[in-house]
Structures are given as C-alpha cells and as structure tokens.
Amino acid sequence: YKRQTLGCMLLTIASFWISHPISPTSQAFTRCLVSLIAISVTALFALRNKAANDELHVQLSQLSQTHDAIMIRTLEGTVTHWNRGAETLYGWSRSEAIGKNLVELIRLKPQQPLEEIVSTVLQTGSWESEPDSFKRNGERMTVASRCTLLRDKRGKPVGILATHNDVTERNQAVKALRRSEAFLAGAQRISRTSSIGIKVPGGEIYGSEEARRILEFNEDERPSLLSLVDKTHPED
C-alpha cells in the first residue's frame, strides 16, 4: 500500500507540472493539493483496514488450530467460519459449510425455540446448553454448545461464535454410573448392608445411605472417625 500510495502521489505531481509547465494557477495548485490529500487519506484508511483484516486472519488461524469445533454464523444463521475441529466433528468440509444455514446443516435440536436462543444471546451476550445434533453420516450426538455474541468496533451485533464438543460418551457414562449407584443403594437397603470409606489423616467418613442408618448419623451431621468412636459403646 505504501508503494502504491507514493506512486500515485508522484504521478499526480508529475501530471500537475506537465499540465502547467510555466505558470501554474492557484486553482490548479489547489486541485493538485486536494488530490494529494485525498490519496493520503485513502491510503490511511486502506492501511487501517488491512491491519484489522490481518489481525482477524491471525485470530481465525489460531481458532482453526484448536480441536474444538468453532463456528461463526451471522445473526440470520449463515456460516461464515468453520474450523478444522468443526470439519472433524461434523464431517462437512469448510468449503461445503460456508454459506449454509448452521442449524439446518447440523440439524441442531435445542430444547428451546431458536428465536429464544438468539434473543438470549443478544440480551446477555452468551448462551450454553447440551442440544443434540447430527453428523454428516447421520450419526446423532449430544454436544456441549456455547455461544458468544460478536460485535463490531461500534458495538453493533454482527454474528455469533459457537463452540461444540461431543459429550455423548460422557453423558452415557454419567447415566451408567447413576444407574449403578441406584442398583447398589437398592441392594444395600434390601440386604441391610453398607459401604463406607475413611479419609486419612482427617478421619472424615463418607458412605452410602445405609451406612448413615446403621451408624446412626443424621442427614445434617458430618460423619467422622471421632464422632463414630463417640457413638460406639465403651465395651466395644
């Protein structure tokens, strides 16, 4: 930009002297001066715009390196950025995703209407939930979705940045653990047995509901080895 600007200014000055080789008029000189100022101002704005674009490209390049699926969409829903993480997670390439409607592309299934989600993002600046979505091959999954409102330098909302992470296996593991804990609690109630653990060296006790019943600890009481000894008959 600097070379082009300098070249335009030199050409303007050369054109001025060629057109007025002997006695340049004040009007001609004024026009030349205005032209030089216009070129300088245009170059200044162009350099600022280039700097802003370069910074944006660097940020987008950094976003592209993360393993998280990161997508940027307009307020209307059109995809404008699709990083490698999104390609890996959903199976759509960047060229295939750009310009498409994000919700339709990944068949997002949030628990609330999309209009409410966009309204929440506009009002609070963010939104997060765990909706279901679909990969390109039709596989359904649950994603941890976090949305952040993007604004321009004047503070005007221009888009929404969304990050997605597949939490399907994690949620299945949590459900399996809860089922296992429920089965264990039920079995202990039926067999009137319990399981306990003692933290060393603090002596804090943690255990099942049956352990509280057998050791006679109230719901609001924190079990400990010392309190257990106090509850135990001296001869025992």
Side-chain angles (χ1 to χ4, degrees):
Y1 282 107
K2 294 181 179 179
R3 292 180 179 179
Q4 289 87 335
T5 301
L6 182 59
C8 289
M9 294 178 73
L10 291 175
L11 288 174
T12 300
I13 295 173
S15 176
F16 170 76
W17 286 113
I18 292 174
S19 302
H20 309 84
I22 301 176
S23 56
T25 63
S26 59
Q27 292 182 350
F29 182 77
T30 301
R31 287 196 299 270
C32 178
L33 183 60
V34 169
S35 298
L36 292 175
I37 293 175
I39 294 172
S40 301
V41 172
T42 301
L44 178 62
F45 281 114
L47 288 172
R48 286 185 176 179
N49 184 63
K50 182 179 182 300
N53 286 335
D54 289 345
E55 182 180 358
L56 178 60
H57 284 306
V58 170
Q59 293 175 349
L60 292 178
S61 177
Q62 292 173 343
L63 290 177
S64 297
Q65 302 306 316
T66 180
H67 295 294
D68 295 342
I70 298 180
M71 301 144 286
I72 298 178
R73 44 155 286 185
T74 64
L75 297 179
E76 292 74 26
T78 304
V79 177
T80 59
H81 178 73
W82 188 267
N83 77 335
R84 292 181 182 177
E87 290 182 331
T88 302
L89 180 62
Y90 284 106
W92 298 98
S93 67
R94 181 178 181 276
S95 60
E96 292 172 324
I98 297 296
K100 299 293 195 312
N101 182 281
L102 178 61
V103 175
E104 295 177 356
L105 181 66
I106 64 177
R107 289 180 281 171
L108 192 68
K109 304 293 182 184
Q111 291 80 16
Q112 61 186 121
L114 183 62
E115 295 76 13
E116 292 184 8
I117 296 175
V118 175
S119 177
T120 299
V121 175
L122 290 173
Q123 291 177 8
T124 65
S126 63
W127 174 86
E128 60 181 80
S129 184
E130 292 189 358
D132 287 346
S133 60
F134 290 83
K135 298 183 179 182
R136 183 174 185 173
N137 60 9
E139 180 182 349
R140 187 169 186 147
M141 62 181 171
T142 302
V143 294
S145 175
R146 297 175 179 83
C147 296
T148 303
L149 184 64
L150 300 178
R151 300 178 182 271
D152 60 16
K153 293 183 178 180
R154 294 173 295 179
K156 180 182 178 181
V158 294
I160 297 175
L161 184 147
T163 63
H164 285 185
N165 292 286
D166 186 359
V167 294
T168 306
E169 293 185 359
R170 185 203 70 184
N171 288 357
Q172 291 174 347
V174 170
K175 291 180 180 178
L177 178 61
R178 289 174 179 171
R179 286 195 298 269
S180 176
E181 290 176 344
F183 291 149
L184 176 61
Q188 288 184 350
R189 281 195 299 271
I190 294 173
S191 61
R192 303 183 70 81
T193 58
S194 67
S195 57
I196 65 171
I198 301 177
K199 291 184 178 179
V200 178
E204 182 180 348
I205 294 177
Y206 58 94
S208 62
E209 293 181 5
E210 279 297 295
R212 280 186 171 273
R213 183 191 63 80
I214 294 173
L215 300 177
E216 297 181 346
F217 285 111
N218 300 323
E219 289 294 329
D220 57 349
E221 188 178 1
R222 174 177 290 183
S224 68
L225 189 58
L226 181 61
S227 60
L228 179 60
V229 172
D230 290 339
K231 289 175 178 289
T232 305
H233 192 278
E235 292 184 4
D236 293 334

